[in-house]
Amino acid sequence: MSSRPSPKVLLHRGIRLAALIGLAAAGAVAAQPAPPAPPEESAPKSGASEEAPPINVPTPAPIAAPPISEKEVAPAAPPVQAEPKAPGVPVRRNRYDVAVIEAIDKVTAESLRFEAAVNRPIRYKSLIFTVKACERSTPEEAIDDSIAYLTIDSQPRPLPGKPELSPRQAFRGWMYASSPGLHPLEHPVYDAWLITCRAAAPPIAPAR
């Protein structure tokens, strides 16, 4: 009759068997092939080069300016007050009673310088000159000039036994001695312009 093993021996055998079974299971797990790794995603290629990270430059500390002494500060000048201007007073030109005029016949090239008293018509060939005003510039003006307002009528002399013809106005306005071409006489035969203005000569006293 065989003897049965004791409980202590059975306990040791169970521990061994459990250890063997655990080692066998670990070896089986290690022997299994590892699952394939997922394909790595390729990074997008960029033609531009990578930018370098910005460089942090420390901000310099402010430099304290030296204090300004009172001697270096100039006192503020008070505003200059403009002197009030006197209201503009129109300067009146001196008026004269005689105008000196020069006329020319463009056909015969004959010219004549004559005097025409204010408001007294004077004839030159078929033209009649009537001076309404004649004045000269004042010393305050930039240009020394003579100005005359006159009318020029064209009225040929009547032929013997014929009635007198009606005058036809050829010019009316101001003439300037310094600018003869500003307001010229427009006539096919004659031309005329102002020379100057002057005062009439005092009458000569009769001899006693």
Side-chain angles (χ1 to χ4, degrees), residues 107-121:
V107 176
T108 62
E110 179 187 357
S111 63
L112 177 67
R113 180 173 294 189
F114 57 91
E115 295 181 352
V118 175
N119 294 325
R120 291 187 62 182

PDB file of all heavy atoms in Angstrom, residues 107-121:
ATOM      1  N   VAL A 107      -1.536 157.056 -95.165  1.00  0.00           N
ATOM      2  CA  VAL A 107      -1.404 157.010 -96.622  1.00  0.00           C
ATOM      3  C   VAL A 107      -0.248 157.886 -97.079  1.00  0.00           C
ATOM      4  O   VAL A 107       0.612 157.475 -97.871  1.00  0.00           O
ATOM      5  CB  VAL A 107      -2.725 157.438 -97.295  1.00  0.00           C
ATOM      6  CG1 VAL A 107      -2.559 157.476 -98.828  1.00  0.00           C
ATOM      7  CG2 VAL A 107      -3.857 156.496 -96.907  1.00  0.00           C
ATOM      8  N   THR A 108      -0.174 159.099 -96.561  1.00  0.00           N
ATOM      9  CA  THR A 108       0.868 160.032 -96.981  1.00  0.00           C
ATOM     10  C   THR A 108       2.056 160.067 -96.014  1.00  0.00           C
ATOM     11  O   THR A 108       3.045 160.752 -96.293  1.00  0.00           O
ATOM     12  CB  THR A 108       0.279 161.446 -97.092  1.00  0.00           C
ATOM     13  OG1 THR A 108      -0.183 161.864 -95.798  1.00  0.00           O
ATOM     14  CG2 THR A 108      -0.890 161.467 -98.071  1.00  0.00           C
ATOM     15  N   ALA A 109       1.945 159.373 -94.876  1.00  0.00           N
ATOM     16  CA  ALA A 109       2.980 159.364 -93.833  1.00  0.00           C
ATOM     17  C   ALA A 109       3.196 160.752 -93.245  1.00  0.00           C
ATOM     18  O   ALA A 109       4.251 161.042 -92.668  1.00  0.00           O
ATOM     19  CB  ALA A 109       4.292 158.806 -94.365  1.00  0.00           C
ATOM     20  N   GLU A 110       2.221 161.591 -93.344  1.00  0.00           N
ATOM     21  CA  GLU A 110       2.292 162.936 -92.765  1.00  0.00           C
ATOM     22  C   GLU A 110       1.822 162.865 -91.313  1.00  0.00           C
ATOM     23  O   GLU A 110       0.765 162.297 -91.018  1.00  0.00           O
ATOM     24  CB  GLU A 110       1.412 163.902 -93.558  1.00  0.00           C
ATOM     25  CG  GLU A 110       1.399 165.313 -93.005  1.00  0.00           C
ATOM     26  CD  GLU A 110       0.378 166.203 -93.705  1.00  0.00           C
ATOM     27  OE1 GLU A 110      -0.273 165.719 -94.646  1.00  0.00           O
ATOM     28  OE2 GLU A 110       0.232 167.368 -93.281  1.00  0.00           O
ATOM     29  N   SER A 111       2.587 163.422 -90.400  1.00  0.00           N
ATOM     30  CA  SER A 111       2.236 163.423 -88.983  1.00  0.00           C
ATOM     31  C   SER A 111       2.170 164.860 -88.484  1.00  0.00           C
ATOM     32  O   SER A 111       2.809 165.768 -89.019  1.00  0.00           O
ATOM     33  CB  SER A 111       3.251 162.624 -88.171  1.00  0.00           C
ATOM     34  OG  SER A 111       4.531 163.223 -88.247  1.00  0.00           O
ATOM     35  N   LEU A 112       1.403 165.044 -87.414  1.00  0.00           N
ATOM     36  CA  LEU A 112       1.227 166.374 -86.835  1.00  0.00           C
ATOM     37  C   LEU A 112       1.006 166.207 -85.335  1.00  0.00           C
ATOM     38  O   LEU A 112       0.200 165.376 -84.902  1.00  0.00           O
ATOM     39  CB  LEU A 112       0.042 167.102 -87.464  1.00  0.00           C
ATOM     40  CG  LEU A 112      -0.285 168.482 -86.892  1.00  0.00           C
ATOM     41  CD1 LEU A 112       0.841 169.467 -87.204  1.00  0.00           C
ATOM     42  CD2 LEU A 112      -1.620 168.994 -87.442  1.00  0.00           C
ATOM     43  N   ARG A 113       1.741 167.023 -84.553  1.00  0.00           N
ATOM     44  CA  ARG A 113       1.544 167.064 -83.104  1.00  0.00           C
ATOM     45  C   ARG A 113       0.836 168.374 -82.788  1.00  0.00           C
ATOM     46  O   ARG A 113       1.327 169.454 -83.148  1.00  0.00           O
ATOM     47  CB  ARG A 113       2.869 166.967 -82.370  1.00  0.00           C
ATOM     48  CG  ARG A 113       2.726 166.999 -80.855  1.00  0.00           C
ATOM     49  CD  ARG A 113       4.055 166.737 -80.163  1.00  0.00           C
ATOM     50  NE  ARG A 113       4.532 165.363 -80.402  1.00  0.00           N
ATOM     51  CZ  ARG A 113       5.583 164.813 -79.772  1.00  0.00           C
ATOM     52  NH1 ARG A 113       6.273 165.537 -78.877  1.00  0.00           N
ATOM     53  NH2 ARG A 113       5.943 163.595 -80.050  1.00  0.00           N
ATOM     54  N   PHE A 114      -0.281 168.275 -82.100  1.00  0.00           N
ATOM     55  CA  PHE A 114      -1.087 169.461 -81.818  1.00  0.00           C
ATOM     56  C   PHE A 114      -1.637 169.371 -80.401  1.00  0.00           C
ATOM     57  O   PHE A 114      -1.567 168.332 -79.730  1.00  0.00           O
ATOM     58  CB  PHE A 114      -2.228 169.589 -82.845  1.00  0.00           C
ATOM     59  CG  PHE A 114      -3.131 168.383 -82.902  1.00  0.00           C
ATOM     60  CD1 PHE A 114      -4.265 168.299 -82.106  1.00  0.00           C
ATOM     61  CD2 PHE A 114      -2.838 167.326 -83.750  1.00  0.00           C
ATOM     62  CE1 PHE A 114      -5.091 167.206 -82.156  1.00  0.00           C
ATOM     63  CE2 PHE A 114      -3.670 166.211 -83.811  1.00  0.00           C
ATOM     64  CZ  PHE A 114      -4.790 166.143 -83.009  1.00  0.00           C
ATOM     65  N   GLU A 115      -2.210 170.472 -79.951  1.00  0.00           N
ATOM     66  CA  GLU A 115      -2.800 170.565 -78.626  1.00  0.00           C
ATOM     67  C   GLU A 115      -4.308 170.676 -78.759  1.00  0.00           C
ATOM     68  O   GLU A 115      -4.808 171.385 -79.639  1.00  0.00           O
ATOM     69  CB  GLU A 115      -2.246 171.777 -77.867  1.00  0.00           C
ATOM     70  CG  GLU A 115      -0.755 171.681 -77.576  1.00  0.00           C
ATOM     71  CD  GLU A 115      -0.248 172.891 -76.803  1.00  0.00           C
ATOM     72  OE1 GLU A 115      -1.041 173.856 -76.637  1.00  0.00           O
ATOM     73  OE2 GLU A 115       0.906 172.881 -76.369  1.00  0.00           O
ATOM     74  N   ALA A 116      -4.993 169.985 -77.865  1.00  0.00           N
ATOM     75  CA  ALA A 116      -6.453 170.022 -77.846  1.00  0.00           C
ATOM     76  C   ALA A 116      -6.892 170.375 -76.441  1.00  0.00           C
ATOM     77  O   ALA A 116      -6.620 169.638 -75.485  1.00  0.00           O
ATOM     78  CB  ALA A 116      -7.028 168.675 -78.269  1.00  0.00           C
ATOM     79  N   ALA A 117      -7.528 171.530 -76.294  1.00  0.00           N
ATOM     80  CA  ALA A 117      -8.028 171.952 -74.988  1.00  0.00           C
ATOM     81  C   ALA A 117      -9.242 171.121 -74.610  1.00  0.00           C
ATOM     82  O   ALA A 117      -9.979 170.610 -75.481  1.00  0.00           O
ATOM     83  CB  ALA A 117      -8.377 173.437 -75.013  1.00  0.00           C
ATOM     84  N   VAL A 118      -9.432 170.951 -73.307  1.00  0.00           N
ATOM     85  CA  VAL A 118     -10.551 170.151 -72.809  1.00  0.00           C
ATOM     86  C   VAL A 118     -11.865 170.798 -73.229  1.00  0.00           C
ATOM     87  O   VAL A 118     -12.050 172.027 -73.095  1.00  0.00           O
ATOM     88  CB  VAL A 118     -10.451 170.005 -71.278  1.00  0.00           C
ATOM     89  CG1 VAL A 118     -11.672 169.281 -70.722  1.00  0.00           C
ATOM     90  CG2 VAL A 118      -9.179 169.265 -70.896  1.00  0.00           C
ATOM     91  N   ASN A 119     -12.774 169.941 -73.752  1.00  0.00           N
ATOM     92  CA  ASN A 119     -14.132 170.330 -74.175  1.00  0.00           C
ATOM     93  C   ASN A 119     -14.136 171.328 -75.334  1.00  0.00           C
ATOM     94  O   ASN A 119     -15.123 172.043 -75.545  1.00  0.00           O
ATOM     95  CB  ASN A 119     -14.926 170.917 -73.002  1.00  0.00           C
ATOM     96  CG  ASN A 119     -15.201 169.876 -71.922  1.00  0.00           C
ATOM     97  OD1 ASN A 119     -15.406 168.694 -72.219  1.00  0.00           O
ATOM     98  ND2 ASN A 119     -15.180 170.304 -70.666  1.00  0.00           N
ATOM     99  N   ARG A 120     -13.040 171.355 -76.112  1.00  0.00           N
ATOM    100  CA  ARG A 120     -13.004 172.204 -77.299  1.00  0.00           C
ATOM    101  C   ARG A 120     -12.612 171.332 -78.489  1.00  0.00           C
ATOM    102  O   ARG A 120     -11.460 170.930 -78.631  1.00  0.00           O
ATOM    103  CB  ARG A 120     -12.008 173.348 -77.133  1.00  0.00           C
ATOM    104  CG  ARG A 120     -12.455 174.382 -76.090  1.00  0.00           C
ATOM    105  CD  ARG A 120     -11.523 175.572 -76.083  1.00  0.00           C
ATOM    106  NE  ARG A 120     -11.546 176.268 -77.392  1.00  0.00           N
ATOM    107  CZ  ARG A 120     -10.788 177.328 -77.674  1.00  0.00           C
ATOM    108  NH1 ARG A 120      -9.954 177.827 -76.754  1.00  0.00           N
ATOM    109  NH2 ARG A 120     -10.863 177.902 -78.850  1.00  0.00           N
ATOM    110  N   PRO A 121     -13.577 171.005 -79.391  1.00  0.00           N
ATOM    111  CA  PRO A 121     -13.266 170.142 -80.540  1.00  0.00           C
ATOM    112  C   PRO A 121     -12.210 170.782 -81.437  1.00  0.00           C
ATOM    113  O   PRO A 121     -12.194 172.001 -81.637  1.00  0.00           O
ATOM    114  CB  PRO A 121     -14.602 169.986 -81.265  1.00  0.00           C
ATOM    115  CG  PRO A 121     -15.635 170.335 -80.233  1.00  0.00           C
ATOM    116  CD  PRO A 121     -14.998 171.374 -79.356  1.00  0.00           C
TER     117      PRO A 121
END
